[in-house]
Amino acid sequence: MPSLTRSEATERAALITVTSMEVDLDLTGGDRDDHEEFGSRTTIRFTCNQPGATTFLDLRPAALESLVLNGSELDPASLRDGRVELADLAAENEVTVVATMRYSRDGQGLHRAVDPADGQHYVYGHLFLDAAPTVFACFDQPDLKAPYAVTVTAPEHWTVVGNGAAMSTAPGRWELAHTRPLATYFVTVCAGPWASVRSEHDGIPLGIHARASLREPLERQAEQMLEVTRASFDYYHRLFGIRYPFGEYHQVFVPEFNAGAMENPGCVTFRDTYVFRGAAARDEVLTRTNTIAHEMAHMWFGDLVTMRWWDDLWLNESFAEYMAHRTTVDATEFTEGWVDSTVARKMWGYAAERTPSTHPVAGGAALDAQAALQDFDGISYAKGAATLRQLIAHIGDHAFIAGVSAYLREHAYGNGTLADFLGFMERASGTDLGEWSKAWLLTAGLDVIAADQESGVVTREAPAAFPADRPHTLDVAGFTAGAEVFRVEATLTGPSAEVAALREAPRAELVVPNASDLTWATVALDPSTLQAVPQGLATLPDPQARAVVWAALVDGVCLGRVDPRVVVDTFGRAWPQEDNESVLNRVAGVLLGRLVPSFLPAEEEAGARAVVAQAAAELLDASEPGSTRALLGARVLARSSADEATLRPWAERSGLPAGLERDSDFRWLVVRNLAGHGLVDRDFIERVRRDDDTLSGRLGELTARAALPGEAKSWAWEQLTANRERSNYELNALAGGFWAGDDLETLRGFVPRYFADVPAMAQWVGADALGRVATLAYPSRVVEPATADASAEALAGDGLTPAVRRSVVDADSELREALRSRALFG
């Protein structure tokens, strides 16, 4: 079906104004496996400023029962390619649509999942980016906002929550309070036998909900989540001077959710893995805390004021990203939030900048809705947030907050653009931001920052493909023998700047540009610093500077400037001494997930994994039993070790580290590793699954079975690419385990099948879900020119959907980084 184009949206918004939406959903039978459809009745009232004109309605039903426009029946056969023509419009119009819709299994539209732990069913709406027409008839674009009145019929034992406060008016019948004007993609209904914890803060009713089988961990963890929710509300109310405008505030942890969370006003949806079944490291709780603050920031940035078109997606995500880190640091116990940003978010964004699909923060073409989805990445989030930090350095925090508050007030319940936002920033600061915006927001790419202490010169090198004159405000720090010996500020308004304080400072063994991570740039370490890093990194007293060095090392490997063996050596020496959990967790993930399996020759991989395993064992042995550091050490050891004598007892739940005795998620880490080495079989995996017959357990089983060598790969590939009954999470689990193991000969045979079979899945898997599957299933394990050739051939054709193409472009770029590194360093 055609994706809505920008020109179509502009024309439709100029013609009509939606004044009200009434949606009635019939979920009767939603708790039965044999019911795959639900009823949807929509009444839309809208005005037309050119009576007699024609427009179209968006609708993608399983079956269309009736269409009535201004009292006249329309032929249901007029529905074509997801659109219904509405002709001869009056000044005031009413259209009513009765249709049957289909529950989804790919996390888009109205998704239904079954919890095997108790057989209970759950549904939730995720209407981003253009899935609303699969749930109700609408004018599906972000600038046609309207108030909603939603009613729901559901099984009597279900609870319903949504954007408006929900009231049960009869057994199985729910009415949701009329909402403020919402964009279509914000509307949600979450229905099922939820476990719930309710509270109140500052006059705002609060609710936290999850599957009934997660009641115990939900109730145990609810107070921490509520504490963050209260602190975030207080912080935003003080900062913006604008009260939360959407009534009640529910946070629903839903199964099989594609993203981390979605900012539906009054009813935020989260992936339910944030309700931790077992042990949780501090950085995982920090991530959940940051996500709660991020989604709440959207109540102002995105929900109260929504971008007019998808090319200004950054007005939503960059602000929420920045505000979440700021709130986490200023208003919660997680004062290390900016360190987490460096290793968890900015490294993600830097990787996106290195690919051919890089794009500006703002002002992208986004000619249609699906094209816009491809820019929903680390640039829109992490780079946008870093850009806002530079804007604050440029105009001052007071002017920034004043401009933001004025922008939100002026456009409340409506839409805004980049030009609108910059106008308020300029008025608040008295500064012309035209050149600044051109360099930071409208030009892709990131600069390389370097510092030479002997000359006192700090340099900035812009990428040749995207030349820009980006000003940078940053600092440079020097360290010797575990002590900070200097820290100087630097402002770059040209290619270089002489910083006398840098030249005059005591000579340092390690010189770290951008040590406080204030700007967005690749950090190039000087040769003497790079030589000193393996031995000296652990002694740096500043965790933020250590995070910047780790990011510089990873970037250096990917850019072909640093031998990956240097990073493995540094990991072995520095990582066991690290005391920041975000650095511990994220750096280990990058090493095991990418650097070791891709950048090192196959014959060196086992040795590198042994270094990682030894470091993990050291961390585990040196940590207090049951601490989060011990947990991280145990997890990395479980992923990296090839020692069956250690892993097999853990898989049998014997001799486990303290706190992990009944942790099923940890057990699946061990079993997956054993499966990849061919040290367990299908029967063993099945036995473990019987001990954990839950959604997570069944996913763990799929990942472990897909990791088995030999003939098991054929079964896994068939399940991944041909079984249309698999959910989005099941596809991710299969794809995530498939390329594990050392059996390259078998894996090599599936490279051409990827380029034939995965794109074909677009026939039954939605774009958002398939993009993730295409990334996870890409044959990055087979680092060979033939794989790159197959990628190039697929990209040269026209058989890839936009989502799959973006995934292949990015994965191919990463593959070529690994090939280049192997060619350079052997």
Side-chain angles (χ1 to χ4, degrees), residues 314-333:
W314 79 284
L315 286 170
N316 289 15
E317 298 305 342
S318 300
F319 280 93
E321 178 88 1
Y322 167 73
M323 285 297 170
H325 293 304
R326 177 170 175 158
T327 305
T328 300
V329 171
D330 291 352
T332 79
E333 66 176 288

Side-chain angles (χ1 to χ4, degrees), residues 104-116:
S104 81
R105 292 282 283 151
D106 61 6
Q108 297 169 240
L110 197 63
H111 180 94
R112 185 173 69 169
V114 182
D115 186 350

Side-chain angles (χ1 to χ4, degrees), residues 48 77 145 186 278 548 668:
C48 175
K145 300 170 79 171
F186 290 140
V548 168
W668 282 115

Side-chain angles (χ1 to χ4, degrees), residues 243-407:
R243 288 279 302 175
Y244 166 69
F246 295 109
E248 296 187 356
Y249 194 74
H250 295 273
Q251 299 175 93
V252 190
F253 293 82
V254 299
E256 300 178 340
F257 196 67
N258 279 328
M262 179 64 200
E263 64 269 21
N264 314 302
C267 188
V268 179
T269 44
F270 298 79
R271 58 170 58 215
D272 65 7
T273 52
Y274 279 138
V275 179
F276 307 117
R277 299 195 309 161
R282 178 179 171 86
D283 88 290
E284 292 171 312
V285 181
L286 188 163
T287 297
R288 183 178 67 192
T289 295
N290 184 280
T291 305
I292 290 171
H294 177 111
E295 302 309 321
M296 189 185 293
H298 274 308
M299 299 300 119
W300 289 266
F301 296 103
D303 296 3
L304 180 64
V305 181
T306 307
M307 73 267 164
R308 183 170 298 165
W309 181 246
W310 301 107
D311 57 340
D312 275 326
L313 178 70
W314 79 284
L315 286 170
N316 289 15
E317 298 305 342
S318 300
F319 280 93
E321 178 88 1
Y322 167 73
M323 285 297 170
H325 293 304
R326 177 170 175 158
T327 305
T328 300
V329 171
D330 291 352
T332 79
E333 66 176 288
F334 296 102
T335 55
E336 71 273 29
W338 288 115
V339 178
D340 184 75
S341 170
T342 299
V343 291
R345 309 296 286 178
K346 292 183 80 171
M347 286 172 66
W348 169 46
Y350 290 157
E353 285 270 55
R354 292 194 299 267
T355 69
S357 60
T358 186
H359 58 86
V361 172
L367 297 179
D368 62 44
Q370 282 301 314
L373 181 63
Q374 309 320 310
D375 288 346
F376 199 61
D377 58 17
I379 294 171
S380 300
Y381 285 79
K383 183 179 182 179
T387 297
L388 291 178
R389 293 188 83 183
Q390 284 296 296
L391 175 61
I392 291 168
H394 191 59
I395 67 173
D397 191 63
H398 179 76
F400 174 74
I401 295 301
V404 164
S405 297
Y407 167 78

Side-chain angles (χ1 to χ4, degrees), residues 65-80:
E65 276 81 55
S66 70
L67 275 163
V68 178
L69 174 63
N70 296 332
S72 298
E73 290 272 358
L74 302 183
D75 185 357
S78 63
L79 172 66
R80 294 185 179 89

Side-chain angles (χ1 to χ4, degrees), residues 23-34:
V23 177
D24 183 61
L25 302 178
D26 184 358
L27 310 183
T28 305
D31 57 346
R32 292 167 46 188
D33 290 337
D34 60 345

Side-chain angles (χ1 to χ4, degrees), residues 452-739:
D452 180 72
Q453 189 181 6
E454 184 174 350
S455 65
V457 174
V458 181
T459 60
R460 178 203 72 191
E461 179 186 355
F466 304 103
D469 189 18
R470 278 178 283 265
H472 293 267
T473 300
L474 61 130
D475 62 356
V476 182
F479 304 88
T480 297
E484 182 176 313
V485 294
F486 72 80
R487 188 176 294 256
V488 299
E489 294 183 356
T491 300
L492 281 166
T493 56
S496 65
E498 291 190 20
V499 183
L502 174 61
R503 183 178 62 252
E504 296 164 1
R507 289 292 176 264
E509 294 173 356
L510 290 90
V511 176
V512 185
N514 196 30
S516 296
D517 201 15
L518 299 176
T519 194
W520 178 264
T522 294
V523 169
L525 302 173
D526 67 77
S528 60
T529 294
L530 189 59
Q531 186 174 5
V533 158
Q535 192 66 39
L537 178 56
T539 69
L540 267 59
D542 179 6
Q544 183 65 75
R546 296 196 302 272
V548 168
V549 171
W550 277 115
L553 291 175
V554 172
D555 282 349
V557 169
C558 295
L559 292 168
R561 296 172 175 169
V562 175
D563 190 329
R565 297 167 186 83
V566 171
V567 184
V568 174
D569 184 26
T570 303
F571 187 94
R573 296 168 184 260
W575 189 82
Q577 301 177 59
E578 180 60 55
D579 62 8
N580 181 277
E581 277 92 351
S582 294
V583 174
L584 283 169
N585 197 7
R586 305 297 179 165
V587 169
V590 170
L591 219 73
L592 291 174
R594 181 148 190 244
L595 263 59
V596 169
S598 295
F599 286 84
L600 291 175
E603 62 271 16
E604 295 183 31
E605 184 176 344
R609 287 186 176 276
V611 171
V612 174
Q614 178 60 36
E618 290 178 20
L619 180 66
L620 176 60
D621 292 342
S623 300
E624 180 181 348
S627 67
T628 57
R629 282 170 52 81
L631 169 62
L632 292 172
R635 285 179 178 171
V636 174
L637 184 58
R639 289 183 62 189
S640 59
S641 176
D643 180 17
E644 186 176 6
T646 297
L647 299 179
R648 174 71 71 163
W650 283 1
E652 297 283 5
R653 286 189 161 156
S654 173
L656 284 159
L660 295 174
E661 294 85 357
R662 302 299 300 173
D663 192 318
S664 295
D665 294 331
F666 179 78
R667 190 183 191 191
W668 282 115
L669 276 181
V670 177
V671 172
R672 174 184 172 178
N673 189 9
L674 286 167
H677 288 292
L679 298 175
V680 294
D681 57 18
R682 176 181 170 181
D683 290 341
F684 183 89
I685 295 169
E686 168 65 17
R687 177 161 62 85
V688 175
R689 199 270 306 156
R690 287 197 297 270
D691 288 343
D692 181 27
D693 196 17
T694 64
L695 274 174
S696 296
R698 293 193 178 188
L699 297 174
E701 176 190 27
L702 289 175
T703 301
R705 286 189 63 181
L708 289 169
E711 288 301 314
K713 297 296 184 188
S714 296
W715 172 86
W717 193 258
E718 180 71 14
Q719 292 298 306
L720 172 64
T721 62
N723 187 340
R724 299 192 179 200
E725 300 303 314
R726 292 292 186 189
S727 73
N728 52 332
Y729 267 39
E730 290 172 335
L731 296 176
N732 292 343
L734 288 160
F738 184 83
W739 299 99

